[in-house]
Amino acid sequence: MNTELDKIIPVLPSQDIKRDIAWYKKHTGFEVLFEDEMYACLKREGLSIHLQWHADTKDDPLIGGSVIKIFVKNIQPIFKEFIGRGTVNEDKLHLNTPWGTHEFGFYDLNKNAIFIVEGISS
């Protein structure tokens, strides 16, 4: 019997779990499923994002620069929602990209890039 792959969940670095939970709730609509001072699980519909605290030292670097893409169907409603949340400006939606998507992106407070993408060439 073969292994069935179920899902993948990004774990993004965080310098301040409580601060970042509040940011994700306000700016993305993700809600907390679990949290402590070192780790948090956030969920919206069938999607999850985890946050893991890092000290931002030589032995435990924060690094930043992680990138995730959340694929959606019908990007316009969530784009309008994120404008209303103050997450993005109206000029951030890129339609009909050369690689066949509609998409917009933003950074969280730890410089992790989050892109919302609608594939139009599939």
Side-chain angles (χ1 to χ4, degrees):
M1 179 178 203
N2 291 331
T3 299
E4 181 180 330
L5 300 177
D6 184 35
K7 61 185 153 193
I8 189 167
I9 298 173
V11 180
L12 301 177
S14 169
Q15 207 169 24
D16 184 327
I17 295 291
K18 288 210 177 289
R19 174 199 70 181
D20 294 340
I21 287 170
W23 187 90
Y24 273 88
K25 187 173 183 174
K26 177 181 178 185
H27 291 282
T28 69
F30 276 76
E31 297 291 335
V32 178
L33 288 178
F34 165 82
E35 71 173 287
D36 64 22
E37 59 279 348
M38 303 290 286
Y39 204 88
C41 303
L42 309 174
K43 188 166 184 108
R44 178 172 174 169
E45 296 179 37
L47 304 178
S48 295
I49 294 174
H50 292 191
L51 303 173
Q52 182 173 351
W53 182 82
H54 291 274
D56 201 17
T57 64
K58 181 181 175 191
D59 294 328
D60 186 20
L62 182 66
I63 300 173
S66 297
V67 178
I68 63 170
K69 291 188 175 191
I70 299 171
F71 285 83
V72 301
K73 295 178 181 162
N74 192 12
I75 199 168
Q76 290 289 347
I78 197 165
F79 181 64
K80 289 177 184 173
E81 174 192 332
F82 279 32
I83 289 171
R85 290 178 177 278
T87 309
V88 295
N89 295 325
E90 291 183 21
D91 63 345
K92 292 298 181 184
L93 182 60
H94 301 283
L95 299 174
N96 303 313
T97 65
W99 45 93
T101 64
H102 302 319
E103 60 185 64
F104 66 95
F106 52 92
Y107 293 97
D108 73 5
L109 298 173
N110 300 291
K111 298 189 176 24
N112 295 303
I114 300 163
F115 288 90
I116 310 295
V117 181
E118 178 182 4
I120 57 174
S121 61
S122 53

